[in-house]
Amino acid sequence: MLSLLSWIVTGLVVGLIARALVPGRQSMGLILTVALGVIGAAVGGLISTAFWPTWANDPNVDRMWPGWLMSVIGGVIVLWGYIALTADRSGRTTV
């Protein structure tokens, strides 16, 4: 249960930061923002494991900022994809 709550909180933080970094208005609710953050964190994690080794055996709070950074980058990538899929020809989001 605590793991699910941490995913929701992380998704909310990552989703809000990604929405703040991408210019323009995104018409998304809270649940979609959390989903964006969770998916973005997963995408960022996949990208980071391709380039850097993981420290799963020795978690250190001082070394967690690259994970947050990659989660936000993944959230921005997912948000750009969402905007591209939901935008009509005039550039406005349809959802």
Side-chain angles (χ1 to χ4, degrees), residues 71-90:
S71 295
V72 170
I73 290 171
V76 168
I77 292 170
V78 170
L79 182 56
W80 280 339
Y82 173 79
I83 290 171
L85 290 175
T86 60
D88 59 8
R89 291 187 183 259
S90 65

Side-chain angles (χ1 to χ4, degrees), residues 1-63:
M1 184 67 180
L2 190 60
S3 176
L4 178 65
L5 183 62
S6 68
W7 273 98
I8 291 171
V9 170
T10 301
L12 179 63
V13 170
V14 169
L16 288 174
I17 293 172
R19 286 183 64 188
L21 291 176
V22 174
R25 182 169 183 229
Q26 304 94 24
S27 56
M28 303 170 70
L30 187 65
I31 294 174
L32 202 53
T33 301
V34 170
L36 160 79
V38 169
I39 295 169
V43 168
L46 288 173
I47 293 170
S48 68
T49 56
F51 294 109
W52 298 288
T54 59
W55 294 284
N57 295 334
D58 183 28
N60 186 355
V61 176
D62 295 332
R63 293 189 291 177

